[in-house]
């Protein structure tokens, strides 16, 4: 039986009438996204035809999911909210704090020792507040959620940008910051800007080397890293129905890389098969009973241009495998053109490592297709020219592929099998030699490939591809290799060609596992004590941020004018810094150390206006804070792209940054800034970015009459005595302005509990 089956029954019992009411009120057919959103309006939210991309709307999510790195701050905030128990089903998954180095057994033992304090904290908080806890080694959050919690038509939020993976099982699943999760766990409504809708019609059927991964790699090339911002992508058509459930999950997972609020597919037979295979036949039966409500209306898919803001069509029968990168997940190159692109751009041709797995591509189907290539390579006398590494997605996957002999094939092929965890995908890879910062190429089936992302080396050229393409390229060891056309020379000197990969949608013998790694919460949480050592370097209880002073904010020093791409990895790096995710002051020492300073093209080197010296960004900001001086960060386009990493907003807030002024924001980061009581502002005229000078002292004018839809003014006081006054936009609604005034959304929750 599924987790939370009674909750699912309740959702399904209410869904048909809510959808019918929405259809009647709007006077038109509905997309799947609209059906799920309208059926999950918060009880206090007034129904109306919301304005896509403009209206802020309150929802009531069905559940919350958190991974260990972000859960620390989310739960530290929840502890301050004063609630005795979580209001909706919630889970914590320990998957980020496990470094990949030697292999699964030793790496997990090391993590359990190194991060024992954090795991114990998360386990005890989960016990106390009624939260399901998945232990280290149980698996990657999104794979575990897909196997256990995702259900068609549900609404879920999670403290990780790849929460969207659950769209593969027909959910609306959205990545958020910890403060949003705290709200929902505390029983408060959750706010979202009503998204615009992109419809992607898939025709034909995949064959040969093409995989579901190639669908989203192509989409990323079409939409770019910001083309999906404030939008939901809904896939439909005969091609969508032909994909496996886990393949759909892969596509939805990487929707985060185009900035999409989320992506989803309508309920179909592949989802029913997956639910049954993962022990949830009861959910499949319930979904079958209302299946017409778990997909878009027929009229919508027959005439999509009428109902979606944008429509894209992709013929799967013609889809070519893609390899995306380096340094950005939207630089899409068909495999037939990769050789020319690599030579033209001077990319390192020798592939040093091939990595398979992550939350994006670690299903049984993914592993089985990759292992088919390892088998035939061995049979044809080929050995991998690159290092070969595997990250299974969950203990259920790992146990099943071990039972079916896949792990032995990989190990005989020379592969290293890492723990069921994120590992290299989020920078937790202790890669030998990466400290030398040598120029090199790796290929992986992960979702992101920003500079330094996998191994901390800025000169690692990382390329994203399907597991089967990664396997082929690792065997060849050459970025110019096209397995569809090219031959390799085996150990006997013979020319051999790789056959097309084959695999299984689901394990023929069914899934199996001895210990999934799940810990149910205590039945009486009142008896559980959560202790945090005041001298800990890993955990720190939170103090409330101070409210706004009720005056315009003046005398701000420019901390940094960031140039070009500034993701949450640039603002708050992962990798070795993950260990400090529960200690706000310690992790603040990585604030913006990866951002490029416009004025000197260096990272972690900004001018201290108090001394005139160039120092590390956190050092300068701490100097300003010690003097009681606020500061401002200026950024470029799509600022805060990438992870849902709430620390990228909390660290500047903690150290005294008052505002972030950019050309445009990524959705989650903008919300995170607002939640923490920061000012998230955009240039009315993007050219005004060029007016910002290194020694500027900056004033923000108009805050005493701060209201939705009305611009603010920024005065740039230059060091030569001259001034520039520019208009800046904001997207704050009335509630979000209250967050700013209160010093953060959590302060309002605290006040409501005390009242």
């Amino acid at each position: 039986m599924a987790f939370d089956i009674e909750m699912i029954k309740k959702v399904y019992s209410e869904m048909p009438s809510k959808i019918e009411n929405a259809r009647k009120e709007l006077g038109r057919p509905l997309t799947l996204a609209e059906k799920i959103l309208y059926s999950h309006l918060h009880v206090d939210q007034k129904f109306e035809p919301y304005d896509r991309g403009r209206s802020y709307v309150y929802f009531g999510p069905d559940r919350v999911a958190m991974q260990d790195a972000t859960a620390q701050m989310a739960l530290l905030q929840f502890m301050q909210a004063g609630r005795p128990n979580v209001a909706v089903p919630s889970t914590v998954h320990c998957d980020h704090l496990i470094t990949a180095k030697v292999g699964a057994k030793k790496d997990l033992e090391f993590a359990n020792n190194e991060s024992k304090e954090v795991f114990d904290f998360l386990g005890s908080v989960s016990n106390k507040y009624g939260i399901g806890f998945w232990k280290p080694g149980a698996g990657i959050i999104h794979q575990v959620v897909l196997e256990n919690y995702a259900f068609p038509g549900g609404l879920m939020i999670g403290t990780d940008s790849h929460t969207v993976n659950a769209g593969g099982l027909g959910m609306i699943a959205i990545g958020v910051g910890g403060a949003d999760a705290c709200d929902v766990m505390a029983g408060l409504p959750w706010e979202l800007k009503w998204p615009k809708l992109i419809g992607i019609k898939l025709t034909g059927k995949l064959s040969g080397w093409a995989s579901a991964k190639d669908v989203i790699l192509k989409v990323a090339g079409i939409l770019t890293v910001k083309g999906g911002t404030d939008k939901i992508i809904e896939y439909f058509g005969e091609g969508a129905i032909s994909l496996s459930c886990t393949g759909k999950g892969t596509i939805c997972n990487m929707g985060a890389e185009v900035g999409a609020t989320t992506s989803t597919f309508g309920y179909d037979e592949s989802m029913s098969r997956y639910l049954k295979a993962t022990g949830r036949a009861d959910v499949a039966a319930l979904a079958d009973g209302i299946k017409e409500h778990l997909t878009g209306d027929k009229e919508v898919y027959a005439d999509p241009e009428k109902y979606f803001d944008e429509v894209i069509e992709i013929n799967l029968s013609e889809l070519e495998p893609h390899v995306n990168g380096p340094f950005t997940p939207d630089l899409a190159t068909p495999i037939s053109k990769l050789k020319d692109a690599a030579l033209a751009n001077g990319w390192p041709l020798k592939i040093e490592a091939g990595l398979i797995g992550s939350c994006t591509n670690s299903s049984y189907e993914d592993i089985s297709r990759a292992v088919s290539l390892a088998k035939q390579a061995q049979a044809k006398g080929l050995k991998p020219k690159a290092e070969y590494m595997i990250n299974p997605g969950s203990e259920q996957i790992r146990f099943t592929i071990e039972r079916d002999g896949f792990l032995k094939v990989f190990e005989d092929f020379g592969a290293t099998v890492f723990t069921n965890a994120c590992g290299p995908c989020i920078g937790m890879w202790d890669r030998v030699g990466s400290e030398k910062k040598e120029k090199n190429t790796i290929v992986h089936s992960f979702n992101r490939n920003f500079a330094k992302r996998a191994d901390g080396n800025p000169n690692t050229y990382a390329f994203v591809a399907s597991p089967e393409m990664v396997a082929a390229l690792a065997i060849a060891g050459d970025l110019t290799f096209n397995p569809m056309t090219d031959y390799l020379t085996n150990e006997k000197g013979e020319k051999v060609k790789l056959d097309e990969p084959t695999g299984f949608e689901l394990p023929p013998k069914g899934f199996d596992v001895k210990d999934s790694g799940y810990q149910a919460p205590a039945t009486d949480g009142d008896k559980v004590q959560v202790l945090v050592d005041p001298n800990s370097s890993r955990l720190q209880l939170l103090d409330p941020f101070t409210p706004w002073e009720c005056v315009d904010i003046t005398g701000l020093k420019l901390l940094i004018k960031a140039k070009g791409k500034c993701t949450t990895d640039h603002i708050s790096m992962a990798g070795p810094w993950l260990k400090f995710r529960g200690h706000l002051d310690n992790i603040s020492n990585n604030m913006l150390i990866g951002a490029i300073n416009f004025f000197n093209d260096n990272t972690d080197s900004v001018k201290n206006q108090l001394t005139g010296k160039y120092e590390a960004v956190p050092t300068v900001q701490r100097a300003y804070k010690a003097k009681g001086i606020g500061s401002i960060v200026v950024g470029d386009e799509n600022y805060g792209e990438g992870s849902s990493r709430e620390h990228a907003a909390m660290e500047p807030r903690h150290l005294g940054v008052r505002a972030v002024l950019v050309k445009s924001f990524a959705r989650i980061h903008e919300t995170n800034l607002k939640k923490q009581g920061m000012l998230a502002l955009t240039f009315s005229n993007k050219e005004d970015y060029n007016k910002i000078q290194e020694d500027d002292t900056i004033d923000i004018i108009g805050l005493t009459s701060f209201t939705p839809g009305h611009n603010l003014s920024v005065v740039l006081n230059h060091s030569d005595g001259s001034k520039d006054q520019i208009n800046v936009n904001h997207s704050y609604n009335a509630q979000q302005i209250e967050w700013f005034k209160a010093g953060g959304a959590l302060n309002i929750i605290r006040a409501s509990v005390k009242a």
Side-chain angles (χ1 to χ4, degrees):
M1 180 179 288
F3 287 95
D4 311 312
I5 189 65
E6 294 306 317
M7 178 268 283
I8 297 172
K9 286 179 180 177
K10 184 174 186 295
V11 171
Y12 282 0
S13 68
E14 297 174 353
M15 202 168 185
S17 61
K18 290 180 177 180
I19 290 172
E20 185 53 41
N21 180 63
R23 192 184 288 117
K24 181 179 178 182
E25 290 289 334
L26 297 174
R28 61 171 175 80
L30 300 176
T31 66
L32 170 62
E34 289 175 316
K35 289 182 179 182
I36 299 175
L37 292 176
Y38 275 112
S39 64
H40 282 85
L41 294 177
H42 191 266
V43 65
D44 295 330
Q45 176 65 52
K46 180 183 176 183
F47 184 98
E48 59 184 79
Y50 304 111
D51 190 355
R52 294 180 187 174
R54 295 180 63 87
S55 299
Y56 282 95
V57 182
Y58 287 120
F59 295 95
D62 299 314
R63 67 164 34 258
V64 174
M66 298 166 280
Q67 39 93 337
D68 50 353
T70 52
Q72 294 172 67
M73 202 56 68
L75 293 176
L76 284 165
Q77 290 177 87
F78 181 76
M79 289 168 64
Q80 301 295 318
R83 304 292 172 116
N85 216 325
V86 291
V88 301
S90 303
T91 52
V92 168
H93 305 257
C94 296
D95 62 356
H96 274 56
L97 299 177
I98 303 170
T99 301
K101 184 177 183 180
V102 180
K105 188 174 185 295
K106 289 186 177 180
D107 290 348
L108 182 57
E109 289 174 354
F110 180 82
N112 275 321
N113 180 59
E114 181 189 43
S115 294
K116 183 179 187 302
E117 179 185 13
V118 173
F119 295 146
D120 287 349
F121 166 75
L122 293 173
S124 63
V125 175
S126 297
N127 244 341
K128 184 173 183 63
Y129 294 108
I131 299 169
F133 182 70
W134 291 81
K135 302 172 187 177
I140 305 171
I141 176 172
H142 312 304
Q143 181 68 30
V144 173
V145 165
L146 197 72
E147 291 175 358
N148 295 277
Y149 298 110
F151 67 96
L155 175 63
M156 177 177 73
I157 64 169
T159 61
D160 189 287
S161 55
H162 293 105
T163 299
V164 295
N165 187 84
L169 205 34
M171 290 194 90
I172 292 292
I174 299 176
V176 300
D180 276 2
C182 178
D183 283 357
V184 174
M185 289 189 293
L188 299 178
W190 174 65
E191 183 185 67
L192 177 72
K193 186 190 294 181
W194 193 272
K196 292 186 176 181
L197 301 176
I198 298 176
I200 298 187
K201 182 178 182 180
L202 302 180
T203 62
K205 189 175 182 179
L206 293 171
S207 63
W209 284 89
S211 75
K213 181 73 161 218
D214 298 304
V215 176
I216 188 58
L217 294 179
K218 182 175 180 63
V219 169
I222 295 169
L223 290 176
T224 78
V225 290
K226 58 182 291 188
T229 303
D230 289 330
K231 299 168 186 173
I232 289 178
I233 300 174
E234 184 172 323
Y235 293 85
F236 63 95
E238 60 177 327
I241 294 171
S242 72
L243 297 169
S244 69
C245 179
T246 53
K248 293 177 171 72
T250 291
I251 292 169
C252 292
N253 182 298
M254 268 196 73
E257 275 53 71
V258 299
T261 299
T262 193
S263 306
T264 195
F265 285 79
Y267 178 66
D268 60 20
E269 283 301 313
S270 71
M271 295 184 192
S272 179
R273 290 192 297 272
Y274 186 76
L275 286 168
K276 292 169 184 173
T278 51
R280 292 172 288 171
D282 47 355
V283 178
L286 290 170
D288 288 341
I290 62 162
K291 59 185 178 182
E292 70 271 21
H293 301 294
L294 300 176
T295 189
D297 287 333
K298 293 179 180 179
E299 299 92 331
V300 169
Y301 296 154
D303 190 8
E305 284 81 4
K306 189 175 178 181
Y307 301 97
F308 292 99
D309 298 287
E310 182 180 352
V311 177
I312 297 168
E313 186 168 333
I314 297 172
N315 186 340
L316 301 185
S317 300
E318 300 173 354
L319 182 63
E320 187 177 345
H322 280 60
V323 178
N324 286 25
F327 304 125
T328 186
D330 61 345
L331 181 56
T333 306
I335 189 66
S336 64
K337 298 180 180 178
L338 184 61
K339 178 178 180 179
D340 290 342
L343 293 171
N345 289 287
W347 298 335
L349 301 182
K350 182 184 177 185
I351 296 172
E352 303 288 347
L355 303 102
I356 291 173
S358 90
C359 63
T360 326
N361 278 111
S362 54
S363 69
Y364 189 90
E365 181 179 36
D366 293 326
I367 300 297
S368 67
R369 284 173 65 84
V371 85
S372 75
L373 290 167
K375 283 181 178 178
Q376 60 164 296
Q378 286 177 305
K380 294 180 180 184
L382 295 169
K383 290 184 177 180
K385 297 287 181 63
E387 280 189 275
Y388 199 37
M389 287 154 276
I390 316 293
N391 272 87
S394 70
E395 175 57 17
Q396 179 168 268
I397 293 290
R398 190 212 63 79
F399 189 92
T400 303
I401 63 175
E402 181 180 46
R403 179 202 66 191
D404 292 350
F406 293 175
L407 283 189
K408 187 176 189 307
V409 172
F410 282 133
E411 288 165 351
D412 290 347
F413 201 48
T416 300
V417 179
F418 289 135
T419 313
N420 314 319
C422 303
C425 182
I426 45 92
M428 293 296 279
W429 182 19
D430 190 356
R431 186 184 182 192
V432 176
S434 63
E435 73 283 352
K436 298 176 184 177
K437 293 183 169 48
E438 294 175 339
K439 194 174 179 180
N440 75 104
T441 284
I442 65 173
V443 290
H444 60 59
S445 68
F446 308 159
N447 38 46
R448 291 191 174 134
N449 59 344
F450 304 138
K452 302 184 183 181
R453 173 84 179 186
D455 62 1
N457 179 2
N459 298 312
T460 292
Y461 286 59
F463 294 85
V464 183
S466 66
E468 45 268 58
M469 191 56 63
V470 169
L473 289 170
I475 291 167
D478 184 351
L479 194 61
T480 67
F481 175 67
N482 181 352
M484 298 171 67
T485 58
D486 298 346
Y487 286 79
L488 295 170
T489 303
N490 69 11
E491 293 176 306
K492 296 180 181 178
E494 301 166 330
K495 294 286 186 181
V496 295
K497 190 170 181 290
L498 293 173
D499 300 322
E500 295 173 350
T502 59
F504 301 93
E505 176 186 357
L506 295 164
K509 299 177 185 178
F511 285 108
D512 197 7
V513 66
K514 282 187 178 177
D515 179 6
S516 66
Y518 175 70
Q519 172 186 295
T523 53
D524 184 4
D526 288 343
K527 297 178 181 178
V528 178
Q529 279 193 310
V530 179
L531 300 177
V532 174
D533 183 348
N535 297 314
S536 172
S537 65
R538 299 289 300 271
L539 296 165
Q540 180 187 46
L541 294 176
L542 296 176
D543 292 321
F545 291 132
T546 55
W548 172 55
E549 306 91 329
C550 300
V551 295
D552 287 338
I553 301 176
T554 60
L556 301 178
K557 297 298 184 184
L558 175 68
L559 176 61
I560 187 172
K561 180 179 177 179
K563 177 182 177 181
K565 187 184 283 286
C566 191
T567 71
T568 48
D569 276 28
H570 295 82
I571 305 167
S572 176
M573 287 186 178
W577 288 96
L578 282 173
K579 68 179 64 174
F580 300 119
R581 284 284 181 86
H583 197 293
L584 183 54
D585 194 58
N586 282 347
I587 198 169
S588 293
N589 288 321
N590 79 357
M591 185 189 73
L592 284 158
I593 62 175
I596 298 173
N597 183 357
F598 177 90
F599 298 106
N600 60 14
D601 281 332
N602 291 327
T603 58
D604 204 22
S605 175
V606 296
K607 189 174 183 179
N608 183 335
Q609 291 193 40
L610 302 178
T611 65
K613 295 179 180 179
Y614 284 86
E615 298 172 289
V617 184
T619 301
V620 173
Q621 184 54 41
R622 287 187 186 276
Y624 293 156
K625 182 178 181 179
K627 296 288 187 181
I629 299 170
S631 66
I632 185 170
V633 169
V634 173
D636 214 317
E637 296 280 8
N638 208 31
Y639 183 88
E641 169 193 343
S643 167
S644 68
R645 201 163 300 164
E646 185 177 35
H647 300 75
M650 295 188 78
E651 292 172 29
R653 181 71 166 104
H654 172 65
L655 292 184
V657 177
R658 301 298 300 273
V660 179
L661 172 61
V662 301
K663 293 181 181 178
S664 64
F665 281 107
R667 176 190 63 85
I668 300 176
H669 187 63
E670 182 179 18
T671 300
N672 285 344
L673 289 169
K674 292 176 178 180
K675 282 280 186 177
Q676 300 303 331
M678 295 273 283
L679 282 173
L681 309 173
T682 56
F683 292 100
S684 297
N685 178 2
K686 293 183 180 182
E687 294 302 313
D688 286 340
Y689 171 88
N690 299 316
K691 294 179 180 177
I692 308 292
Q693 298 179 18
E694 190 171 28
D695 293 313
D696 280 352
T697 298
I698 297 171
D699 306 328
I700 301 174
I701 309 299
L703 292 174
T704 54
S705 56
F706 192 12
T707 51
H710 290 81
N711 287 356
L712 298 172
S713 294
V714 166
V715 179
L716 310 175
N717 300 288
H718 305 307
S719 58
D720 63 2
S722 64
K723 295 184 178 184
D724 277 306
Q725 183 161 336
I726 61 176
N727 287 326
V728 295
N729 301 329
H730 69 84
S731 61
Y732 287 73
N733 61 23
Q735 178 61 61
Q736 293 167 349
I737 290 173
E738 292 306 310
W739 298 344
F740 166 72
K741 291 179 177 178
L746 186 55
N747 288 347
I748 293 178
I749 298 176
R750 287 193 191 95
S752 68
V753 171
K754 290 177 182 177

